[in-house]
Amino acid sequence: MSNEGVSAEKVENRATKRSLILLAGAWIVALIFVAGFALPYFGFNPDTFGGYWVKRGWLLTHLAAGMVALLVGPFALRLGLARKRMPLHRRLGVVYMVAIGLSSLAALYLSLHTDVSWVFGMGLFSLNLIWITTAGFALVAIRRRQIQQHQEWMIRSYVVTFGFVNFRILVGILTAIGVGTEIQRLEVGSWFCWSVPLVITEVILQGRKMFSAPVASTVGRAR
């Protein structure tokens, strides 16, 4: 094997290890989020729901399906990126897509019927549109056998899925340091929880392509 081949293999192995660590960390944080913020709603205590009690059916649908997407996503991504156990990867992918479909539809309704503010509602509405879009493009890409495009759209999709966790973390931090009013914190969280991570993800995805590709030589000179 040539030196270039060995070097490329080492780079790929390091990238695989990094992705495994990142996905494992995301799954642990997601599990903590589910246990601490999502599962308590299934106790059907009106005090837990607050103003969402009258919309509890929509909220529980959103939470139940969202939990599935949040916890299944890292396993589907790990198998897909490693190209291992593909039949299981496909089954998990189907579960992930169905969960997003159900959860996003319920969340779209909730975002259009929020009692917080229209800014907060539009932030969540945009989050759900992006959620459906990224998952939809991942599905279209794999149907067209565009593997790399499918992998990249799945990464974007899970970043958006994780936005619900980011929302709770961000609002919690802003509350702890006493920034803004409660409504302002919710409004900021509804936009920043998905937009900033998605931009960072795009910079990483496109940056890897730019810096891994050889620099093109000058074809000609201006006369």
Side-chain angles (χ1 to χ4, degrees):
M1 183 179 294
S2 64
N3 291 334
E4 291 184 359
V6 173
S7 178
E9 185 177 353
K10 288 182 178 179
V11 171
E12 185 176 353
N13 289 337
R14 285 197 295 267
T16 300
K17 290 180 180 178
R18 285 197 297 267
S19 66
L20 178 60
I21 294 172
L22 187 61
L23 289 171
W27 190 85
I28 291 172
V29 174
L31 190 62
I32 294 172
F33 167 80
V34 167
F37 291 99
L39 287 181
Y41 284 95
F42 292 87
F44 293 94
N45 185 341
D47 293 334
T48 302
F49 285 85
Y52 285 99
W53 177 248
V54 295
K55 295 171 277 195
R56 58 189 178 278
W58 292 99
L59 181 60
L60 290 174
T61 299
H62 167 60
L63 289 174
M67 287 189 298
V68 173
L70 194 60
L71 296 178
V72 167
F75 292 101
L77 266 174
R78 177 69 186 95
L79 295 176
L81 293 173
R83 304 291 294 165
K84 294 180 178 179
R85 303 180 67 183
M86 295 311 292
L88 176 58
H89 166 70
R90 295 186 189 97
R91 288 193 288 271
L92 291 176
V94 170
V95 172
Y96 179 76
M97 292 293 179
V98 172
I100 287 179
L102 292 174
S103 185
S104 61
L105 288 177
L108 283 173
Y109 173 85
L110 292 170
S111 67
L112 293 174
H113 296 82
T114 179
D115 299 324
V116 177
S117 73
W118 70 269
V119 175
F120 174 72
M122 286 301 97
L124 294 184
F125 184 82
S126 300
L127 165 60
N128 283 283
L129 284 183
I130 297 297
W131 201 17
I132 296 171
T133 300
T134 52
F137 269 84
L139 181 59
V140 171
I142 197 59
R143 296 282 292 180
R144 296 174 64 87
R145 301 293 188 268
Q146 297 170 339
I147 304 301
Q148 183 177 357
Q149 289 289 333
H150 171 69
Q151 291 177 342
E152 291 181 358
W153 280 109
M154 280 296 293
I155 291 172
R156 296 182 185 103
S157 172
Y158 191 71
V159 168
V160 179
T161 301
F162 208 78
F164 297 97
V165 179
N166 295 333
F167 173 80
R168 287 296 180 184
I169 294 174
L170 178 58
V171 171
I173 292 174
L174 293 177
T175 301
I177 62 180
V179 174
T181 64
E182 181 181 1
I183 291 180
Q184 289 173 336
R185 292 191 290 267
L186 293 174
E187 290 174 344
V188 168
S190 70
W191 287 96
F192 276 64
C193 69
W194 62 269
S195 59
V196 174
L198 198 56
V199 169
I200 294 173
T201 300
E202 198 61 30
V203 168
I204 294 173
L205 290 176
Q206 302 307 321
R208 288 175 60 183
K209 295 178 184 178
M210 290 173 58
F211 293 107
S212 63
V215 178
S217 60
T218 304
V219 177
R221 297 176 181 272
R223 295 182 179 179

